[in-house]
Amino acid sequence: MKVMISLIGATTKTRMAYRHFLWKFRGGRRTSVVSSIPEEIQNDILLRLPVKSLLACKCACKNWYALISTSDFINSHVTIQKNNPILMLKDDSIHLYSIGFDSLPSSSSSVCEIKDNVIIMDHPLKYVGFLTECSSRSCIGFLGSSNGLICIWLLCFCYQPIGFRESFCLWNPATREYKELPESPIGLNRGNVCMHGFGYDHKTDDYKLAIGVEAPGSKDTTLVQVYTLASSLWKTEKTIPYRLLCMHMSGVLVNGNLHWLALGQYNFLLLSLDISDENFKEMQLPREIPELNKDMCLGVLQGCLCLLVSSDVNGVKNYSEVWEMLDYGVRESWTKRHVIAHESIINKQKYFRLVQSFKNDEFLLLSDDILVLYDPKHGSARELKIDNVPFRNAETYFESLVSLNSGTYEVGGYESLTDVLARVRNNRKRRRLMFLIYVLVLSCVVYFCM
């Protein structure tokens, strides 16, 4: 009997302690469990959470909402998330796909297949009325990414009398916020844009989009205009005495500047745009590179500006060199870091560009619908095959809490490609079953009416 009473007493104490814990956790008058944890530890834990979890945490309590909404927290979170890049792919139309680099297979085979980790992205341009007005002859272009924001360009062929319609849009895929840009005064269209670049201005905590078109009356000059997110205005019309080729039209962001390979009066040169003061200046390429070598492209290697240069003998591609500018702005600091002679890259006779570099010195190369992960330490290359994704271009980004202050968001959710294909197969089975039932019912009607 005494044992029973002691067990009942212990159970009662346990229940009371549990109720007291719940009362504190649910916001009782006493100190809550969360507030008993030091603020610096809370901050450190929250900074390591993905965006989706942080959005849920903002709804948990007022303190967390205030903390996660501060610019200091958002900037610190950006610094951490830069180490978790995501690859976004696009096809010839309006479909976008994403895959995390951490899900890439570690197989040593020459070809790696990716099947179950592809996510179909729902982009914002369907919410600005394009897809309801336009035919299927539409496509999306990448204009750049910075701190989790992506700038995309929709080109849509509509039925008469509208004709071609185009729009620029800034988009945060993690928070699903988007902002449609106002129309440019200089009349940007698919045929006249020859350069573009998107980046973050750390001096003013702002984002800017630079777009250049062929200047009227001259093929050797470019008219450039800059859009500023804070003011939501296009400004700074400048004419620069350079011409850009279509393969070099995308700007590369390094050290707070956008960079392009431009054709001057007699040779190729490196052109940079300071995002803060919006001024252009010339930079020098390595002395060892021929001045009129067109088969090269810019990229970022471990945070430094780099140049991928192809060498050929009698018109046949022989190898590719990777040059890195170790000391930004100093021509003498250009250093040849790698020589790529792997047959999977050389023999395809493709124009490769550097998409992403990794801490283990590997880097990802893209050419049309070919993705190659190259390891310079061992001279090995792996081609990435992504099932059911007919991609034609790629952009990298990472999740962030950076806001566009637009108040417009996508609805719906992202689906994995595996789930979508399974849903399509189920719909086909359902339609096939309905058809068989219809045939059976019709056969019965005909039989009994005879």
Side-chain angles (χ1 to χ4, degrees):
M1 187 67 178
K2 292 181 179 179
V3 174
M4 290 292 295
I5 293 174
S6 63
L7 287 175
I8 293 173
T11 304
T12 304
K13 292 180 180 178
T14 303
R15 288 175 179 173
M16 291 178 64
Y18 177 67
R19 288 174 182 173
H20 180 64
F21 170 79
L22 289 180
W23 179 75
K24 290 200 301 180
F25 185 76
R26 290 172 179 172
R29 293 181 180 179
R30 298 181 185 179
T31 305
S32 66
V33 175
V34 174
S35 62
S36 63
I37 302 175
E39 290 185 3
E40 59 271 15
I41 297 179
Q42 292 185 41
N43 188 55
D44 192 55
I45 294 173
L46 291 173
L47 282 173
R48 284 163 172 73
L49 294 179
V51 170
K52 186 176 181 180
S53 300
L54 287 174
L55 295 178
C57 289
K58 290 181 71 173
C59 303
C61 65
K62 293 181 179 179
N63 290 338
W64 280 0
Y65 180 88
L67 172 64
I68 298 172
S69 301
T70 61
S71 59
D72 289 341
F73 182 91
I74 294 174
N75 293 334
S76 299
H77 187 258
V78 163
T79 303
I80 294 175
Q81 290 301 312
K82 284 182 178 179
N83 299 321
N84 303 311
I86 300 172
L87 180 67
M88 180 176 288
L89 305 170
K90 81 173 194 69
D91 59 12
D92 287 330
S93 59
I94 59 171
H95 301 106
L96 299 178
Y97 311 86
S98 71
I99 178 170
F101 283 105
D102 56 353
S103 62
L104 295 180
S106 58
S107 172
S108 59
S109 60
S110 59
V111 177
C112 298
E113 295 187 359
I114 302 173
K115 297 181 179 180
D116 302 326
N117 298 311
V118 182
I119 302 297
I120 296 180
M121 306 292 289
D122 190 13
H123 53 79
L125 292 175
K126 67 170 61 177
Y127 300 104
V128 297
F130 270 77
L131 301 187
T132 58
E133 298 176 0
C134 305
S135 68
S136 59
R137 295 173 58 186
S138 305
C139 64
I140 285 179
F142 291 137
L143 297 181
S145 67
S146 181
N147 291 351
L149 300 182
I150 298 179
C151 186
I152 51 180
W153 184 8
L154 180 72
L155 302 94
C156 182
F157 181 78
C158 308
Y159 294 111
Q160 294 296 333
I162 300 176
F164 268 107
R165 184 182 173 190
E166 304 172 76
S167 179
F168 300 100
C169 189
L170 297 179
W171 172 39
N172 186 330
T175 63
R176 307 174 70 86
E177 185 182 11
Y178 68 93
K179 179 181 179 65
E180 186 180 10
L181 274 58
E183 187 175 351
S184 168
I186 63 176
L188 305 175
N189 59 65
R190 185 177 186 179
N192 67 0
V193 171
C194 60
M195 66 181 293
H196 55 74
F198 176 66
Y200 173 66
D201 181 1
H202 67 279
K203 292 183 179 179
T204 60
D205 191 23
D206 200 0
Y207 292 84
K208 296 181 179 180
L209 170 67
I211 294 187
V213 300
E214 186 178 291
S218 175
K219 293 184 178 180
D220 297 325
T221 58
T222 304
L223 178 63
V224 181
Q225 192 170 39
V226 178
Y227 170 83
T228 304
L229 176 61
S231 64
S232 192
L233 294 173
W234 292 93
K235 61 176 183 177
T236 314
E237 292 187 19
K238 290 187 176 181
T239 302
I240 55 176
Y242 309 101
R243 181 164 60 95
L244 285 88
L245 303 179
C246 61
M247 64 180 63
H248 301 143
M249 65 188 303
S250 182
V252 174
L253 183 65
V254 176
N255 202 45
N257 298 328
L258 288 167
H259 304 81
W260 295 267
L261 286 172
L263 187 60
Q265 188 174 2
Y266 302 107
N267 57 356
F268 272 98
L269 51 86
L270 187 56
L271 183 66
S272 74
L273 170 65
D274 189 314
I275 295 181
S276 297
D277 61 23
E278 300 172 10
N279 288 322
F280 287 89
K281 68 177 180 180
E282 294 183 9
M283 298 175 66
Q284 299 298 319
L285 295 172
R287 299 181 189 277
E288 295 82 354
I289 296 177
E291 293 181 345
L292 292 177
N293 187 348
K294 297 181 181 180
D295 196 3
M296 55 185 176
C297 66
L298 291 173
V300 183
L301 186 65
Q302 303 298 335
C304 295
L305 188 66
C306 76
L307 188 67
L308 186 64
V309 185
S310 296
S311 176
D312 62 81
V313 178
N314 297 325
V316 178
K317 193 173 179 181
N318 194 22
Y319 58 87
S320 293
E321 299 173 345
V322 180
W323 291 76
E324 184 178 1
M325 181 181 275
L326 300 179
D327 189 2
Y328 181 78
V330 180
R331 185 179 193 181
E332 288 71 22
S333 70
W334 279 110
T335 305
K336 187 192 298 184
R337 294 298 301 271
H338 309 292
V339 176
I340 304 175
H342 197 280
E343 59 181 9
S344 68
I345 299 176
I346 302 303
N347 292 349
K348 291 183 181 297
Q349 297 294 310
K350 294 282 188 177
Y351 173 80
F352 280 93
R353 70 176 179 89
L354 182 64
V355 177
Q356 180 73 29
S357 62
F358 303 95
K359 289 185 177 180
N360 60 358
D361 292 335
E362 288 186 336
F363 45 85
L364 188 68
L365 300 171
L366 170 71
S367 177
D368 292 333
D369 59 347
I370 299 174
L371 278 171
V372 177
L373 191 61
Y374 182 74
D375 182 1
K377 290 183 178 179
H378 305 93
S380 60
R382 293 181 291 153
E383 184 175 346
L384 305 181
K385 292 286 187 180
I386 304 177
D387 284 358
N388 302 301
V389 179
F391 63 90
R392 290 295 178 184
N393 199 359
E395 184 67 68
T396 57
Y397 76 102
F398 56 87
E399 290 191 343
S400 80
L401 290 164
V402 175
S403 176
L404 297 167
N405 298 316
S406 65
T408 51
Y409 296 85
E410 305 169 53
V411 296
Y414 300 144
E415 294 182 275
S416 70
L417 188 58
T418 304
D419 293 340
V420 172
L421 293 176
R423 177 163 49 80
V424 171
R425 285 193 293 269
N426 291 335
N427 289 339
R428 288 175 180 172
K429 291 179 181 179
R430 190 178 298 109
R431 287 196 298 268
R432 192 179 298 115
L433 179 61
M434 293 299 296
F435 177 75
L436 292 176
I437 294 174
Y438 174 77
V439 171
L440 179 62
V441 172
L442 184 61
S443 300
C444 292
V445 172
V446 173
Y447 175 79
F448 285 111
C449 291
M450 291 178 62

